[in-house]
């Protein structure tokens, strides 16, 4: 699997993401500028975190209109993998590649803190190196991570098993107290219908090394680059 | 023509900013403040001179970029 990272102006997590991808894949990802439209030869497109276009209008709204996103949409329609983290998740919802939207955190505060999230299923290309129900310690750093979708969409996501991660406490239990940004049904990440597109607010790419706080995020990348899973 | 696009959070979509401002207004002594909702106004000067055509352009812009219709509603008005 060959990976590429899309760079929008204002993105600032691309280096961390590149490190995580390189550690799992054994080779550096291609860097794709937002004006590029040729993604040939790439299997995984990653939209990293940051503040694309200064969060003008709405987080991710401007990036969703950039030239590269037409190619990313075509890549997704061909069944290619697309991973969006933080601002990347916001871009994916703005581009219509994932349902719903990310609202201002219910607390109105930018939250830069550790969070715990629960792996909802481990039979996906992104999560098969985890156990179902496993609790991961990851970091979150966002002002607009409050996942919203209408009730019918939330029911469909749940019914189709497309909730990838939920905020939870250290024991894996979901509660209002363990839902830092007020997300609907404590949703931290969701999958597309074909489970090839994943968007999540926390940063697995920042937990790949014991020197920087833990390694719970590494298995997500190892899952992607593993040959196959049962 | 001048086209004004007003974008508001949809009913039922949490607007913590509006709630915080409502709370602050109460603290200032304004009694009887109910729900407060905060949106945005986009003012566009268009080369189009026909009002109906300008409105149609504004609607298209709102649908495709200015509003996220998952969470926001919009209203387009044309000023002479």
């Amino acid at each position: 699997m060959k990976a590429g990272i899309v760079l929008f102006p204002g993105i600032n997590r691309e280096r961390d993401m590149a490190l995580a991808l390189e550690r799992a894949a054994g080779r550096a990802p291609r860097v794709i500028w937002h004006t590029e439209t040729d993604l040939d030869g790439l299997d995984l497109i990653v939209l990293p975190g940051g503040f694309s276009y200064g969060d003008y209008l709405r987080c991710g709204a401007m990036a969703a209109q950039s030239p590269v996103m037409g190619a990313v949409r075509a890549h997704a329609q061909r069944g290619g993998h697309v991973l969006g983290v933080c601002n990347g998740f916001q871009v994916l919802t703005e581009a219509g590649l994932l349902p719903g939207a990310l609202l201002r955190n219910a607390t109105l505060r930018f939250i830069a803190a550790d969070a715990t999230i629960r792996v909802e299923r481990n039979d996906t290309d992104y999560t098969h190196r985890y156990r179902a129900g496993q609790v991961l310690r990851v970091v979150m750093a966002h002002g607009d991570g409050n996942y919203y979708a209408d009730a019918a969409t939330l029911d469909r996501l749940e019914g189709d098993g497309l909730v990838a991660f939920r905020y939870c406490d250290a024991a894996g239990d979901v509660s209002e107290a363990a839902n830092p940004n007020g997300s609907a049904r404590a949703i931290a990440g969701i999958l597309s219908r074909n489970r090839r597109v994943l968007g999540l607010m926390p940063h697995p790419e920042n937990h790949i090394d014991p020197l920087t706080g833990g390694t719970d995020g590494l298995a997500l990348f190892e899952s992607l680059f593993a040959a196959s899973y049962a | 023509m001048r086209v004004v696009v007003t974008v508001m959070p949809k009913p039922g979509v949490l607007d913590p900013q509006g709630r915080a401002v409502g709370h602050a207004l109460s603290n200032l002594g304004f009694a009887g403040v109910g729900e407060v909702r905060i949106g945005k106004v986009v003012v566009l000067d268009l080369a189009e001179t026909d009002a109906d055509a300008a409105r149609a352009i504004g609607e298209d812009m709102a649908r495709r970029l200015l509003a996220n219709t998952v969470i926001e509603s919009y209203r387009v008005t044309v000023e002479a």
Side-chain angles (χ1 to χ4, degrees):
Chain A
M1 178 172 288
K2 190 154 179 10
I5 298 183
V6 177
L7 274 192
F8 300 107
I11 285 299
N12 62 8
R13 296 286 186 132
E14 75 279 5
R15 189 171 170 276
D16 301 353
M17 186 62 79
L19 277 175
L21 291 168
E22 186 165 358
R23 184 156 304 188
R27 61 176 161 178
R30 183 181 136 194
V31 175
I32 305 155
W33 190 235
H34 62 109
T35 52
E36 289 186 49
T37 54
D38 180 3
L39 305 178
D40 278 359
L42 294 176
D43 307 296
L44 165 69
I45 309 296
V46 182
L47 310 184
F51 302 87
S52 57
Y53 299 88
D55 283 347
Y56 287 178
L57 192 64
R58 296 176 304 276
C59 300
M62 313 303 289
Q65 307 298 327
S66 61
V68 73
M69 285 308 294
V72 172
R73 187 175 286 109
H75 173 81
Q77 280 164 355
R78 284 194 299 270
H81 289 82
V82 182
L83 169 64
V85 172
C86 200
N87 191 214
F89 185 14
Q90 295 163 339
V91 174
L92 289 176
T93 61
E94 282 284 344
L97 284 170
L98 288 173
L102 284 311
L103 302 176
R104 181 66 42 90
N105 292 343
T107 57
L108 282 176
R109 290 196 178 89
F110 189 97
I111 303 173
D114 281 357
T116 38
I117 58 174
R118 189 175 73 196
V119 178
E120 293 297 294
R121 55 187 300 169
N122 70 341
D123 55 350
T124 78
D125 294 349
Y126 293 94
T127 58
H128 61 95
R129 290 284 181 99
Y130 294 112
R131 297 185 313 279
Q134 186 174 342
V135 176
L136 312 180
R137 193 163 67 82
V138 285
V139 70
M140 57 193 283
H142 59 249
D144 298 73
N146 178 353
Y147 185 74
Y148 171 87
D150 61 37
T153 303
L154 291 171
D155 288 344
R156 180 181 68 76
L157 286 171
E158 307 251 23
D160 293 347
L162 302 179
V163 177
F165 301 101
R166 272 183 235 268
Y167 300 105
C168 64
D169 62 21
D173 293 324
V174 170
S175 70
E176 205 173 317
N179 183 358
N181 54 23
S183 288
R185 304 191 192 177
I187 288 172
I190 56 170
L191 293 153
S192 62
R193 272 180 206 272
N194 69 359
R195 295 176 206 148
R196 296 288 180 89
V197 182
L198 169 68
L200 75 164
M201 287 310 298
H203 291 276
E205 77 276 16
N206 287 145
H207 273 178
I208 59 157
D209 193 310
L211 279 176
T212 53
T215 56
D216 284 0
L218 186 58
L220 185 143
F221 301 97
E222 291 174 340
S223 294
L224 273 169
F225 292 104
S228 63
Y229 65 97
Chain B
M1 305 239 47
R2 174 160 288 186
V3 171
V4 178
V5 181
T6 306
V7 180
M8 292 298 296
K10 280 183 176 175
V13 172
L14 182 73
D15 179 9
Q17 191 178 202
R19 209 166 51 187
V21 168
H23 188 65
L25 289 171
S26 299
N27 288 347
L28 280 173
F30 291 99
V33 178
E35 195 177 24
V36 177
R37 308 286 280 174
I38 295 182
K40 49 178 91 91
V41 176
V42 184
V43 180
L44 302 140
D45 284 322
L46 301 186
E48 179 59 56
T49 53
D50 179 76
D52 287 340
R55 184 189 312 279
I57 293 168
E59 297 264 351
D60 197 26
M61 290 173 166
R63 209 166 32 244
R64 290 169 58 186
L65 178 63
L66 301 179
N68 178 343
T69 56
V70 173
I71 49 173
E72 296 168 325
S73 60
Y74 60 86
R75 193 178 71 241
V76 179
T77 56
V78 178
E79 295 178 358

